[in-house]
Amino acid sequence: MRDKITFENLHISEEIVSSIKNIGWKNPTDIQIESIPHILRGSDLLAQAKTGSGKTAAFGIPAIQNTVTSDGLQTLILTPTRELASQVSEELNVIKGEKKISIAAFYGGVSIDSQIKALEKGLEILVGTPGRVIDLLRRGNLKLENLNLLILDEADRMLDMGFFPDVTWIINKSNNDKQTLLFSATFPQEILNLSSEIMNNPEHVITSQYELEIPDISQKYSRIGKINKSWALSNILSDFNYEGQILVFCNTKRIVQVLEQRFSKVLDKRISSLQGDMTQNAREKVMKKFKSGDIDLVFSTDVAARGLHVDGVKLVVNYDLPNTVDSYVHRIGRTGRMGLKGRAWSLVSSDELGMISLLKNVHSLELTETEIPDNNGDNHQLFSKKKDWNEHSDLFGMISLGINVGTHDGLNHQKLFDWIKGLIKISDLAVGSITLNDDNSIIEIHKSKVDYIIGAMEKNKGLGKLLNVEIV
Ligand code: ADP
Ligand code: MG
């Protein structure tokens, strides 16, 4: 934040400055300093700034300032999730202070009747998800022919393949001469290309075209197989010691449900979850309690990845790695907001390593490989660590075992092969290549047989001595 620039310097009206002061904000953030003048001037704008940098107010303050009381719907803000629509509407309602304008969030999963009533009473700023906005347009209750301002929050998400048809449908129902603003922390190139289609000579406020800007978040990752991720998470949680709230992201609703149940049973913490199959009522309850600090730990799908601001979140765990770089950036961006420090920890199984190398090598993110901490604080282990041969095996499921005998001990391929076949019942196919060195050998064994063969090798003196067996 640049201390010298004040909200007054940005030509924000006295009314709004005084309500901002009431909230307790001292100075505008960088993105607010850079975007507000463009917006007040009436330019279209594409604005990129890192997660948690105050983008909501960057578009919210000028939107409110330019709104005329009792002049009908003037601003439409679209967001990808219901929770975010609700959060943006709440923040704008605080910023507007005493100004007599009506701002509301419209989304699915709740009764449409009260929304229709609100429209009839007169609404100046509408924050909504595309589905419900389309619904209201189709029914004829909502008209967008006199818009002054269209804002896409999380704009890259709103213009990606999932939302693009809906968003363009909505835009086509609105007048052409409105102002359009796009805000996000990430703008992939294909979305930048697309953005010119819905804007006129836009101004650009972009931190860096090539680098992803990440707030002050320490990013760790640990290599751990799928079957041991619960063990790893429980150790990370106990090591973290609940010094702040925790958000754990999973890739499917099912895993969210399973983990909520599993961890609720064993941890004496306030645990909840957030995913798209829950009723809207339940989702809202969880968000409210999470924001007020009444929940310690939330398991969530990507519904919570974009835009949500919960002051107390100090640790984000990726139980699964997300499928895109941008999703990673938004997920971890739920912590480390507004200049505070945050921590992120990703659990990475062997099939997810490609994403780690993309994040590190292509996008230069500072991810540090870290061992899962020991659970020495707790005297009872919640989950035990299981052998996970998948993590050691190659594409064909083979695992290399090293033994401390070789050609100097008089071994050759045939002798070694026969010895293995004599140890346990094992098909030829489950024995892979055999490499003989002077005083050690490496044998590939299929993962399905590894447990048995290691046990048998370590007990057998058929090669002249007791052996040390290790995974290579
Ligand atoms: P972003 O959209 O960039 O991820 P948000 O708009 O959600 O970030 O803002 C993050 C938090 O910062 C919110 O709690 C918001 O109320 C607060 N905030 C916004 N502007 C300021 C400011 N100028 N000074 C202090 N806090 C601010
Ligand atoms: Mg935001």
Side-chain angles (χ1 to χ4, degrees):
M1 263 182 246
R2 298 169 212 180
D3 280 344
K4 285 186 202 101
I5 297 179
T6 64
F7 286 104
E8 285 90 342
N9 294 153
L10 299 176
H11 304 288
I12 296 167
S13 67
E14 247 174 68
E15 186 180 31
I16 296 173
V17 169
S18 103
S19 106
I20 289 173
K21 295 273 153 74
N22 280 340
I23 307 173
W25 299 353
K26 301 213 162 49
N27 295 90
T29 65
D30 288 350
I31 186 66
Q32 291 162 3
I33 292 167
E34 288 174 57
S35 353
I36 290 174
H38 291 307
I39 305 174
L40 287 176
R41 217 178 295 127
S43 308
D44 282 3
L45 173 69
L46 182 143
Q48 179 192 26
K50 63 190 177 191
T51 50
S53 59
K55 292 188 287 297
T56 316
F59 60 72
I61 292 169
I64 290 168
Q65 174 148 330
N66 283 345
T67 301
V68 179
T69 305
S70 305
D71 208 15
L73 184 68
Q74 295 153 61
T75 297
L76 173 66
I77 303 170
L78 293 175
T79 70
T81 64
R82 299 165 179 181
E83 283 71 20
L84 185 55
S86 158
Q87 175 181 297
V88 169
S89 161
E90 269 172 37
E91 177 150 342
L92 266 53
N93 270 302
V94 174
I95 294 172
K96 81 171 185 188
E98 301 293 311
K99 185 159 182 173
K100 295 271 174 296
I101 55 171
S102 181
I103 305 169
F106 287 4
Y107 43 77
V110 296
S111 141
I112 202 164
D113 296 336
S114 57
Q115 299 174 353
I116 293 173
K117 278 203 193 93
L119 281 169
E120 283 164 359
K121 266 179 70 185
L123 189 67
E124 281 89 4
I125 299 183
L126 194 171
V127 192
T129 52
R132 184 51 61 96
V133 169
I134 288 175
D135 218 358
L136 287 160
L137 282 166
R138 285 219 169 101
R139 288 166 183 246
N141 301 98
L142 177 63
K143 299 228 166 9
L144 299 176
E145 284 127 30
N146 290 310
L147 272 192
N148 292 333
L149 184 57
L150 170 73
I151 302 168
L152 304 186
D153 193 13
E154 306 295 336
D156 58 324
R157 178 79 183 95
M158 303 313 292
L159 296 174
D160 79 8
M161 292 206 300
F163 277 115
F164 187 68
D166 286 355
V167 170
T168 43
W169 192 89
I170 294 169
I171 292 177
N172 287 335
K173 294 275 179 259
S174 69
N175 47 306
N176 279 331
D177 57 351
K178 64 188 175 301
Q179 183 182 8
T180 300
L181 313 176
L182 309 187
F183 275 81
S184 185
T186 51
F187 278 104
Q189 189 59 45
E190 64 270 20
I191 302 289
L192 285 178
N193 300 344
L194 204 71
S195 67
S196 56
E197 287 177 28
I198 58 167
M199 295 194 291
N200 290 320
N201 296 322
E203 299 286 347
H204 283 72
V205 174
I206 293 195
T207 37
S208 156
Q209 209 168 344
Y210 302 103
E211 263 173 56
L212 284 169
E213 202 196 352
I214 306 286
D216 192 0
I217 301 169
S218 83
Q219 301 171 63
K220 292 179 177 170
Y221 74 97
S222 302
R223 289 196 54 174
I224 189 86
K226 292 208 165 46
I227 60 169
N228 284 315
K229 283 191 172 183
S230 286
W231 166 82
L233 176 60
S234 78
N235 283 18
I236 287 170
L237 293 176
S238 101
D239 180 69
F240 178 67
N241 210 14
Y242 301 88
E243 290 163 7
Q245 287 166 288
I246 303 147
L247 188 52
V248 178
F249 284 103
C250 314
N251 288 358
T252 65
K253 298 172 195 168
R254 177 84 191 115
I255 297 187
V256 166
Q257 290 169 326
V258 168
L259 292 182
E260 185 197 2
Q261 284 172 7
R262 193 180 282 171
F263 279 82
S264 298
K265 267 190 212 138
V266 295
L267 289 179
D268 187 20
K269 294 287 165 193
R270 298 165 300 177
I271 296 175
S272 202
S273 66
L274 208 57
Q275 40 88 4
D277 281 348
M278 290 161 64
T279 64
Q280 190 49 32
N281 195 14
R283 280 166 69 164
E284 277 167 30
K285 273 196 189 140
V286 172
M287 267 324 292
K288 207 167 165 209
K289 283 189 173 171
F290 199 36
K291 286 196 179 201
S292 64
D294 293 329
I295 293 178
D296 303 304
L297 166 60
V298 169
F299 291 99
S300 179
T301 55
D302 274 324
V303 290
R306 290 253 184 184
L308 295 187
H309 179 90
V310 178
D311 269 327
V313 174
K314 296 288 174 280
L315 172 67
V316 171
V317 178
N318 284 311
Y319 194 86
D320 306 306
L321 265 193
N323 300 322
T324 67
V325 172
D326 293 335
S327 175
Y328 176 84
V329 172
H330 288 278
R331 280 182 178 188
I332 68 167
R334 295 318 95 214
T335 182
R337 299 176 70 76
M338 272 289 138
L340 296 177
K341 280 192 164 57
R343 296 195 223 172
W345 205 319
S346 299
L347 304 180
V348 185
S349 55
S350 46
D351 56 332
E352 295 172 312
L353 275 174
M355 177 53 75
I356 288 292
S357 103
L358 191 64
L359 293 167
K360 280 168 69 164
N361 303 330
V362 181
H363 296 275
S364 312
L365 298 190
E366 284 176 32
L367 276 135
T368 318
E369 183 164 5
T370 311
E371 292 281 317
I372 298 293
D374 291 333
N375 193 332
N376 45 20
D378 293 358
N379 36 23
H380 59 289
Q381 282 280 132
L382 301 174
F383 301 96
S384 53
K385 191 175 182 195
K386 301 184 188 81
K387 277 221 180 85
D388 185 359
W389 296 120
N390 283 325
E391 285 301 296
H392 298 286
S393 63
D394 66 12
L395 271 179
F396 306 101
M398 303 304 274
I399 289 162
S400 298
L401 298 180
I403 52 174
N404 55 327
V405 282
T407 46
H408 286 180
D409 304 285
L411 266 189
N412 59 39
H413 274 89
Q414 194 58 45
K415 236 175 157 175
L416 199 49
F417 186 76
D418 291 343
W419 174 71
I420 291 163
K421 294 281 294 181
L423 284 174
I424 61 167
K425 197 165 170 286
I426 185 167
S427 88
D428 289 1
L429 284 177
V431 185
S433 70
I434 291 176
T435 314
L436 283 160
N437 299 315
D438 293 348
D439 39 37
N440 65 69
S441 312
I442 295 164
I443 311 152
E444 283 184 358
I445 299 289
H446 191 263
K447 62 187 178 190
S448 59
K449 294 290 180 187
V450 162
D451 276 324
Y452 312 104
I453 207 116
I454 292 181
M457 282 175 169
E458 285 175 341
K459 283 193 208 92
N460 186 284
K461 282 189 187 166
L463 295 181
K465 60 180 180 186
L466 277 181
L467 300 181
N468 285 327
V469 186
E470 56 184 36
I471 299 150
V472 190

